[in-house]
Amino acid sequence: MLTITDLKVSYGAIKALEGVSLTVGRGETVALVGANGAGKSSLLKAIMGLVSATGEVTVEGTGPILGRSPHKIARSGLRAVPEGGAVFNGMTVRENLQVGFASGASRLDEAGAFDDAFLRFPKLGQRLDQLAGTLSGGERQMLAIARALVGAPSVLLLDEPSFGLAPVVVDEVFAMIEMLTSGGLTILLVEQNARRALSLASRGYVIEQGSIVVEGASEQLSADSRIVDAYLG
Ligand code: ATP
């Protein structure tokens, strides 16, 4: 569904990605794990057209997307949920969802797309007129994910969904992602929390200093002593 080949990103003299290749199959959840500064956010920004990059990014049914504007990339079915569930704090829950719907490609009308989201996240349906900035951390992450879903993405990119959340809320957020995974959504899950990410994903990639150093089935990575020592403690 998503194929990334030899992706390179530099910020002046700093090489953030040095030729990364990875794939996410239709309906698959794939984890990308790595430490601070390894290049995870740069990869997501490059996919979404937010930083310039070389290489190739292809979405099934759409073709190569590198070099397109972020707006066109969103239209092509890719949707990113930013680190820590950034939402528009000064807007209501409803307005946040409307932004997601307007920039997406749902075949449903707005009411239908919202109802679909409320089936997954009933809490949001009860808080439509609440300002997003007054939601709890977990609810904000829920809204950020729902805002992406109302645009009917073919691939969902999740950037550190557990970032900055209390452990009990992290449990809730991973339960939400598990629901999406078992619903057959195609997901690239970028996480520092390798243990949790690999427990959900079928496959994983480990990135260090801008390069993929190990890839494989999640069970295989979770049993690899180098991964356990470096990321799973
Ligand atoms: P984190 O988990 O801390 O968010 P990350 O794995 O997402 O880290 P990136 O944010 O992609 O890593 O950063 C990769 C490298 O690129 C780092 O060395 C970082 O300092 C550098 N970098 C990122 N953005 C810029 C920028 N705008 N200008 C210069 N260097 C940058």
Side-chain angles (χ1 to χ4, degrees):
M1 195 73 213
L2 175 68
T3 307
I4 296 170
T5 313
D6 200 23
L7 195 65
K8 294 184 178 151
V9 172
S10 298
Y11 305 102
I14 298 169
K15 290 184 176 164
L17 289 186
E18 305 211 45
V20 166
S21 299
L22 65 83
T23 60
V24 186
R26 184 186 289 273
E28 191 180 33
T29 292
V30 169
L32 176 70
V33 301
N36 280 123
K40 304 181 300 297
S41 297
S42 297
L43 179 99
L44 292 187
K45 285 180 188 156
I47 298 172
M48 293 308 291
L50 300 171
V51 294
S52 63
T54 63
E56 195 165 84
V57 179
T58 308
V59 182
E60 199 179 302
T62 302
I65 58 165
L66 217 57
R68 291 190 193 176
S69 67
H71 171 76
K72 288 212 171 108
I73 291 172
R75 285 264 174 218
S76 73
L78 284 180
R79 202 42 79 88
V81 177
E83 189 172 89
V87 291
F88 301 115
N89 283 330
M91 291 164 69
T92 63
V93 167
R94 185 197 314 277
E95 288 163 345
N96 269 276
L97 294 175
Q98 282 168 337
V99 171
F101 179 78
S103 54
S106 179
R107 267 170 281 173
L108 300 170
D109 61 7
E110 187 181 287
F114 282 24
D115 284 347
D116 217 36
F118 302 151
L119 280 178
R120 289 185 173 117
F121 306 116
K123 226 178 191 178
L124 291 180
Q126 299 151 12
R127 290 165 181 267
L128 279 174
D129 296 316
Q130 186 172 334
L131 281 180
T134 65
L135 295 172
S136 71
E139 288 163 356
R140 266 203 297 279
Q141 184 61 254
M142 185 187 291
L143 176 58
I145 294 174
R147 186 182 55 189
L149 293 181
V150 292
S154 51
V155 182
L156 189 66
L157 310 170
L158 293 173
D159 191 2
E160 307 250 0
S162 70
F163 183 83
L165 298 175
V168 59
V169 185
V170 170
D171 289 346
E172 277 175 32
V173 168
F174 275 96
M176 285 183 231
I177 301 169
E178 191 161 22
M179 172 180 70
L180 302 178
T181 296
S182 49
L185 205 66
T186 304
I187 301 175
L188 178 61
L189 170 60
V190 172
E191 259 292 339
Q192 272 192 53
N193 191 334
R195 188 183 299 280
R196 299 300 294 263
L198 290 173
S199 73
L200 279 187
S202 53
R203 293 189 300 116
Y205 294 81
V206 178
I207 183 168
E208 277 177 15
Q209 292 172 26
S211 300
I212 301 294
V213 289
V214 194
E215 63 177 278
S218 294
E219 310 84 73
Q220 186 190 331
L221 295 184
S222 302
D224 183 322
S225 59
R226 290 166 304 167
I227 310 290
V228 172
D229 292 347
Y231 299 99
L232 303 174

